[in-house]
Amino acid sequence: MMFLSISLLFFNSLANAQNKTIHGTAYDASSNLPLEGATVQVKNGAVSTTTDGSGNFSLLAPDGAILIVSFVGYQPQDITVGSQTNLTIRLAPSASGLSDVVVVGYGTVKRENVTGAISSITAKNLSDRANTTVSESFAGQIPGVTAQQLSSRPGAQLDIIIRGRGSISAASTPLYVVDGIPGSSIFNINPSDIQSIEILKDAASTAIYGARGGNGVVLITTNQGKKGKPVINFNSYFGLQQPNHIVRMMNRDEFIAYSIWGKNVAYMELGGSLSDPMSARPSRLQYPESWNNPDTLPDINWQKAVLQNSPISSYQLSVSGGGDNATYLISAQHLNQEGIEKHTGFNQTNFRINTSLNVSKNLKVGMNIAPSFSTINSPDAEGQNSAYHRALATPPIVPLNGNTEATGYVVGAFANFINPLQTLKETQQATKNSFIGSNLSLDFTPLSGLNFRSQFGYNYTGVESKYFRPANVNKGISVGSYSQSSRRNWVLQNTLNYSKTLFSELEMDVLIGQSIESNKSSSASISGNNYPNNLVPTLNAAAQITGASTSESENSLASFFGRVNFNFKDKYLLTTNVRRDGSSRFGINNKWGTFPSLSIGWKLDRESFFKNVSNLDLLKIRASIGEAGNDNIGDYSSISLLSLSNYSYNGSIASGLVPSSFGNPNLRWEKIVSRNIGLDVIAFQNRIQLSVELYNNITTDMLFSRPISRMTGFSSMVDNLGKVENKGFEFDLTTVNVRKSGFSWESRFNFSANRNKVLETDAAGAPIKIGGYFGGDTYITTIGEPIGSFYGFKTNGVLEDKYFDANGDPIVAILNGQIRGNERIVDINNDGAITEADRVRLGSSQPDFTWGINNTIKIKNFDISFLIYGAQGAKLFYPNQVYMSFGQVQGMNSTPDWVRSWKPSSYPGNQNPFPATDVDMSWDGKTPLSYGIGGAIPFSSDYFFRDASFIRLKNISVGYNIPPNSLKRVGIQFARIVLMADNLHTWTKYPGPNPEANGLSGRSDSGTPGDVADPLKNGTDWGALPMIRKFSIGVNIKL
Amino acid sequence: MRHINLILGIFILSGLASCQKFLDKAPISSYNVNSAYQSQSDFQLAITGTYRNLGSISFNRTIFTESRTDNVKARQIGSENQTFAILSTFTETPATGSIINLWSAYWAVISQTNIIIERIDAASFDDENMRNAIKGEAYFLRGFAYFELAWMWGGMPLVDHQVTPAELAQIKRSAQSETLEFAKGDFLKAIDLLPETWPVRYLGRATKYAAEGYLARLYMFNGEFDNSIPVLTDIIQSNQYQTAALYPDIFSEANDNSKEHVFQVQFNSGAGALSFTLPQYLIGPYVNQYFPNGSSPGIFISDDLYDAFDNNDERRDFSLIRGMYSTSGIYNTTTIYNIKFAHGITPANISSYGLNMPLLRYTDILLMYAESLNEARSDAANDIFDIVNTVRARAGLDPMNGSGLTKEEIRDIISKERRLEFNFEGIRWFDLIRTKKALSTMTAFLARSDEGDAQYKMNEHQILFPIPQDEININPDPNYMWQNPGYQ
C-alpha cells in the first residue's frame, strides 16, 4: 500500500494544459449510419469517450492534440484538433481484427503488430450461446486450445489445455488473469460481463508472466461503461436440457438369461452339479425361483430412472454509462440450472461494479468489484460408485424402490449398488462457493506517452461443502461431513509504460514493472456417522465424530519484469520481454528464475515489392522464442515434512512423528522453451483472414513427483527431471463467403495438431509405469511416447478350443491362470509365456488433431450460426466397463455384449446351464468368456482402451433482430430473439456416454470428481454422465 | 518533472528488491524435518513413530505368509484378485497387488531408524540411558526389518545411513547370508543397549529380551542351534516371562504386555491410535456373532489345519469357526474362518480392535528352545517334553512321552505343535522355510482333493517372494538390483 500512496503524492502535483471541448459525430463511411460505441481518445492521454446512439461524442482535449477514433471492425482515424470544435468522422470498415486492440500481459497492442501467438474470443463470439460457464465458450473455437467437457454435472467446468500437456506434474492449466489480476478463476465470471478473452500461447507472449506462464495465459477483460446516457441491457435465456445418450445395458430378459447361465457355469466350475438344490450353492451363485419366470419381475431402465429432462434459465441485467468524470457499469446475473440427473442442480448469482473516475486530466482511478455466489447440488452424482455409475450397474429387476435398507436388498443385486434413485433423493450434498474479486487501479499519465499504473487486487474464494447420506442408502450407516475452505490472495503490481517515436520512424514502447503476490489457504473439515434418523443432517446430530481437522498453507511470489516493443517504419516489429520471479515454493537453493523472450515480425505487404499486389490487407511473418515456467507443485514440496505416526504404549496413545516426504532443496520451476513461427494474411478487404502457426515447446526440469525406490523409505519425491516436447501446427481461417446487402455468410475454420512426446525421463531413461485400479501396470510415460500413455496387453481374439491340445493344455502362450474363452493375449516377445514384458503401449488420451467450424449466415434481420468441432485419435480407459463387466456373478448389470460372450462347447457331465429363454446367447465370435466366471482377466488389455474420437454438432443458433424502427417508438434501441440448440449430436464409436469424459484432464483413476489431476494416468472414464443436450430461447433487449 | 517521476518510479520498484524474507515460507500445518531430531523428546517422537510401521507389517506379514502355507485354502472364491488369494495359489508375479506394501513398510523402518542412528549421538539428551535405549530400539527395529526382508525376499542392499535415490541405486543387493549377518549385528548392538524392562508407562517397547528372541530366530534360520541355545537360555533365566495359564488369556486385552508376551505390536482402538484390523479382515464378508454387519474380504482356512487339531484341542475352537453366515441366514456349514483375535472387546468400529498382536511369545521362546535342544543336544528329551507338554496341557491335551522317539519324530512333534499353537501368528511359513519343508509340505497340500488336486503348484523359487516390479523398474541395472530367480 505504501507504493500506492507514494504514487498518489506525486500525481497530485500536476499542471493542467489548456483544454477545450470537442464535439463530433462518427459515421460508417459506407452506409453513412451513425456509429454507436466508437471510442474517441486523446492520443497518449488518459481522456477517452465513446459515441452515443446517434454517433455523437464530446470530450475535453488540449490544443493540437490528436484524437484517435476507433471502433471494432473499422479502420481507426487520427484527427488533429485544430480550430474546429465540431468534427464529422467517417470510419471505413476495416479488416476486422487488423486494427483491433489486443490485450497482452500488462498492456495492449494492435493486432496487426502482434508478434507472438495470441488468439482472441470477443464478446461477439460469447453472445448467442446459452453458456453456463465461461469455459464453455472455448470449446472448438480456438486452434491450439482443447476445452473438454469432462463432466456434465451441474456447474462443472471445462478443462482447458493450451498447446498440449507440457508437464507431468499436477497441473497444465493455464494462468487466468482477469482485468490484470493473475491467479483468478474464470468460474465466477458472468459470461455477459466479458469484453474479450485473449489466449497467449507462445512463450514470447507468456514470458511476461514468468514462472506461471508455461501453460499459456488466458487474459479476460471485463466490460467498462462508456460515456453517454445510461444503457440498460437485459439478456435472458431459458432452456430445456436432456441427456444426449443412454448407454445400452442388458434388459431384464437378457440379464436373467445371462445371469442364470453365468451362475450355473460358475457353480459347475466349483465342481457343483446343477441338480444340487439351490441352497447348496454359495450365495453369490444362487438365484431365486422367480428368475425362472422373468415376466413376473420388473424391467427397469435405471439410467432413465435417474436421468431427467430439466430446465435451465439465466437472467442478466446491466446498466452502464458515464460522463466526463466517470464511467460505470453495474451488472447482475442469475443462473439456475437443474441437472439432467435427478436432484442435482446449480445456481449462481454474479454481481459486478466496474467504475472508472477521471480524477484529473492525468489521473484515472478505477475499481472493479465482482462478487459471485453459487451452489452446486450433486449428491454422489458422478464417478466411481456414484449414483449414475450405480444406475448403469443396477440390475433391471431391482424395483424402483428396491435395494435400500428400508426395502431390503434384491437377491442377485450386488449389495454395494444401493438404489441410485433413492441415493440421489435422500443424500444431501451441496457445495456453496463465494467469490469476491476486487481490484483497484490507478493510472497516471503525467505527460504524453508516459503512463504509470498501479493495481491492487484482492480475491477471496470460499467453499463450503455439506454432505449427509442417510443410513437407508448407505448400508445402514448414516454418514455426514462438513468442510470449509478459503483462499485469499492479494497482488500489488506497479508498471511504468513509456511510448515514444524516435527519429520519426521508430516507435518504441517500454514497460517496466514489479509485482508481489501472496496466497493463503485454509480449510477445515469435520465428519461423523451414526445419526439417529434423517431429520437433522447437521453434524451435531451424529453420534460419533469420526474426524475433525483444520489446515493452512501459503505461498508468495515476488517479480520484476519489463518489455520493449519496437516498430520501425511500420514494417519491422520487435518485442522483447523479461521477467524475474521468486517463489516461496521453490527450494532454498533455487529461489529465483529469469524468463526472457524475443519475438520479431515483418509486415511484408508494406514493402515496395508488394505495393502492386492488390487486395492484400496484411501479410506478416513472425517468429518468437521465449522461456516461461510452471510452478504448480504445492506449497512445500521442497521441504522434508514429518507426519504424525502415533503408537501406543501400555494401552495409551503415544505421539510419534516420521518423515513423510523427501525434501528437495534444489527444487525449482519447470522451464518451457517455446519457439513459434507464424503467418498472418488478410486479403480482399478482410474477406479472408488466415493465421498459421508452427510451434515447438520443450519442457525441461519438469516438476515431477518421481517414483523412487521404496528402499529410501518413501515412494516418491518431487524433482526436476525429464524433458517433454509439444510440437504442433495451428490453422485458423476466417472467410467472408458472401457480403451483400442483406445477406452475409462468414465461416471460421480452425485446425490444430499437437504431438506430445517424452524426450527424457530420469537419468537412466527408465519408463514410469503406473498401476491401474485393477492392478498391473496400466499407464506408461516413456521416451518417444506421449505422457501417460496407456499400457497393457494386446489381445487377439479369444482363447478358443483350437488353442488347446487334446490334453487341454494350451498350445499358445497364456497368462497364468487363464482358461478357455479368456482373451488371447499376444506374446509380444515370443518367449512362449505371457509376462509383464508383453505389455505394450496402447495409445494415449491425447488427440492427434482437433478442429472446429463455425458458420454465421445473416439474412436481413435473421442470422444463423452453427459450430461443429471434433477430436481425432484419442483413447480412453473405460474401467467403468471393466467393473460392470464383472457382471452377473457379482450381481451387477452389464453391457449386452456379454450375453453373447464365448461359451464352452460342452459342460461338465453334459449338463445344460442355459435357461429357457428367447434371448440369443450364442457366441458373437468376439466377446471373451464373461468376467467373474473363470480364468484370469487381463484388466489392462486393449479391450478396455477405447477410441474416443468424436465429431460434435456443438451449437446451432437462429437469431432475429427486431427492426430498430419499430422499436424506437417504445423506447427500445435494440431487441433480439435467439433460438439455440447445444450438443445436438455427437458422432463417436466410444461406448461410454461422453468421449471427453476425462481426456486430458488426467484425473486420477480413483474416480472421484475433482481429484487432483495426475497426468501420468491420463484419460480414465469412471462412469461419466451423458452430455447435456440443450434447447433454449433467449432475448436481448437494450434500452 | 518528467525526470523526477521517472526517478521516483524506479525508486519504488527497486525498493522491493529485498523481499527474500517474503519468499521464505515454512509449512504451517505440517512438521518439517529441519526443526526435528534435535532433542530427547524429538527422538522419543521419532522412535514412537517408527514403531507404528509394525501395524501394517504385522497385518500384511500375517496375511501374506499364512496364505502361502497349508493353513489357508489354495483357492478362495470371491477374492481371486486379493493378494492373499494369489499367494495361496502360487500364481503371483512381481507386479502382484500389495506385496509391495509389506516391502515398503520394512524399508520405512530401515530409513526411519537410519535417521535416528545417524543423528542421535549429536542430539541433546537429559537422560543418557534414554539415548542408549532409543538407539537400541532403532538397532533392534532395523535388524528386525532386515531379518524379515532376508528370509522373505533374500539378500538386500545394505543401507545403514540416510541415502538419496541416486546413492541407493549404487548399493548392490547383498547375499542373503550377508543380510542376515547385518541383521545379527544390529540385534547384538540392540542387546547391549536395550533395557531389560521398561517402566509401566512405556510397556510395549522393545527390550533386550525381544532382541535376544529375534537373534535366536535368526540363528535357528541359519541352523545355528548351538548359538540359539544360550540366547534363549538367557531369556528363560531372566524370569521376566511366564506362559499364560489359559490359551484364550493370550488373546485378551487384559493380558496385553503380560508375561506371555516378549514383543507385541501395540494396538489401541481409540481415536487417532493405531488399531488392529486383522480380526475383521480374517472373518470376511459374512455375518456372524462377531461381526453382525459383515465386512470384507475374509480368508478361508484349510480343512488341513482344522483337521490337524485333536478333537479335544481347545485351541481349535478358540481359533477357528466352521460355517458361513450371511444376512439371509446360514449359507454353508463348511467354510472355516479364523476368529482367534476376535474374542475380546468388540470395538465400535469393527476394523479397529484394541488387542495387541503378538510377534514373539514366551511360548515361542520355549518351543524354540525345545527345538534347539533337539537339534543340537542329545538326551534332552525330558527337557523338550516338559516344554511340549506344558503347551499341550494348556490346550487341554494329554501329555506325550518323549522317550524312545527319534530326533526326526521329535522335530515333527514340535513343528506340528508350533503350527497349531501359533496358527495365524505369522510363524508357519517361516518355520516351513527354515526347516526346508516348504516345498514338500505345500506340494502335498496342493495335491489334496479339497485344494484343487494339484491344480496349483509351488515351485522351488517360491520360497522367496518376488522383488516388487516397481523396484526393478526404478533400478533396471542388473548389477545392482535384480529379480529373484524364477520370477524374471
Side-chain angles (χ1 to χ4, degrees), chain A residues 347-422:
Chain A
N347 67 64
Q348 185 170 36
T349 306
N350 291 314
F351 300 98
R352 173 171 293 276
I353 304 176
N354 285 0
T355 54
S356 173
L357 306 172
N358 298 322
V359 176
S360 74
K361 190 174 70 86
N362 312 80
L363 182 62
K364 205 163 99 177
V365 179
M367 175 134 91
N368 297 356
I369 299 177
S372 165
F373 307 96
S374 65
T375 303
I376 297 172
N377 285 303
S378 61
D380 292 335
E382 193 179 29
Q384 188 193 355
N385 217 353
S386 65
Y388 178 69
H389 180 192
R390 283 183 276 131
L392 290 165
T394 301
I397 57 166
V398 173
L400 277 175
N401 66 350
N403 267 31
T404 63
E405 285 295 300
T407 58
Y409 298 95
V410 172
V411 174
F414 189 33
N416 282 331
F417 287 82
I418 298 159
N419 189 318
L421 186 60
Q422 288 299 324

Side-chain angles (χ1 to χ4, degrees), chain A residues 266 269-270 284-285 817 886 889-890 932-937 939, chain B residues 74-89 91 96 297-298 300 456:
Chain A
E269 265 271 302
L270 292 181
R284 74 197 171 89
L285 300 182
F886 269 115
V889 177
Q890 295 210 19
I933 289 188
I937 300 128
F939 290 116
Chain B
R75 182 166 180 195
Q76 298 166 36
I77 307 302
S79 48
E80 287 89 347
N81 298 310
Q82 296 281 343
T83 304
F84 68 80
I86 294 168
L87 289 172
S88 76
T89 53
T91 51
T96 294
F300 298 177
Y456 304 105

